Amino acid sequence: MTNGSEQIGRSERDIPKDWDGFWEFWKQVQNNLRAKQQKQDIYELGFPFSTGASDTYIFFEHILEAYDVQILDSEGKLLIDDQKVRQKIVQDLDWYAKFYQQGYVPPDALNWLNPDNNRSLLNRLVVMTPNNTLSIPCSVRQDPTQHLSS
């Protein structure tokens, strides 16, 4: 968010450091971009939602970790039959799904494969996407014509 920060009236230091604040910040970015620039085709987040993308599973693991949901005990036994664990998983799924339901994720994210969230970011269809493999910065580094910050 360097050169593009003027477009949304925010700077990198405005991004909250806490989990929930961080994701809510991007909702405001989308709302601001749509209001100021009449860009209805831009989305806050490139969250993958398809079963065809391992990124969906990996990001959901991040969500479980962020909300301290332990699905395995210290001996590797699955805990999903425990009502408290099950309820936390449901809450996390609800948190995740709301971004899609509220229109902060592109509708086609239901069909994305692994490169599609990257492609959406590079094509400036989404403002931000999780990228645990760092494939986006690696691809941009190899292509000097790409600039993520503008």
Side-chain angles (χ1 to χ4, degrees):
M1 264 185 61
T2 53
N3 296 341
S5 62
E6 313 82 54
Q7 294 176 355
I8 61 169
R10 303 285 185 107
S11 73
E12 198 170 316
R13 68 180 173 276
D14 294 329
I15 301 172
K17 305 287 188 247
D18 66 290
W19 177 264
D20 288 319
F22 179 83
W23 299 111
E24 289 299 314
F25 171 84
W26 297 105
K27 284 184 179 182
Q28 290 304 312
V29 168
Q30 175 179 312
N31 294 340
N32 292 347
L33 283 172
R34 286 185 174 187
K36 287 180 181 180
Q37 300 179 4
Q38 302 298 314
K39 291 183 76 163
Q40 299 305 309
D41 61 340
I42 191 155
Y43 292 88
E44 162 202 14
L45 295 168
F47 282 177
F49 278 87
S50 78
T51 58
S54 61
D55 287 348
T56 305
Y57 174 75
I58 293 166
F59 186 60
F60 190 66
E61 282 186 328
H62 292 231
I63 297 167
L64 293 173
E65 184 69 26
Y67 289 108
D68 197 29
V69 180
Q70 302 298 315
I71 61 172
L72 297 173
D73 67 14
S74 60
E75 297 172 10
K77 181 183 173 214
L78 198 55
L79 300 174
I80 60 171
D81 290 331
D82 179 309
Q83 189 58 33
K84 289 180 184 178
V85 172
R86 193 177 200 82
Q87 184 58 36
K88 285 183 175 184
I89 293 170
V90 168
Q91 288 172 341
D92 289 357
L93 284 168
D94 185 56
W95 179 90
Y96 189 31
K98 280 184 180 176
F99 288 95
Y100 182 85
Q101 293 164 340
Q102 294 171 352
Y104 291 105
V105 175
D108 63 338
L110 295 174
N111 301 312
W112 282 355
L113 298 176
N114 284 332
D116 292 323
N117 62 325
N118 298 9
R119 190 174 296 119
S120 292
L121 180 76
L122 294 171
N123 289 332
R124 292 172 172 73
L125 301 174
V126 299
V127 177
M128 191 276 197
T129 190
N131 186 236
N132 60 305
T133 62
L134 299 177
S135 57
I136 294 171
C138 288
S139 71
V140 173
R141 187 182 69 200
Q142 300 301 318
D143 182 357
T145 65
Q146 280 288 352
H147 300 284
L148 290 177
S149 60
S150 55

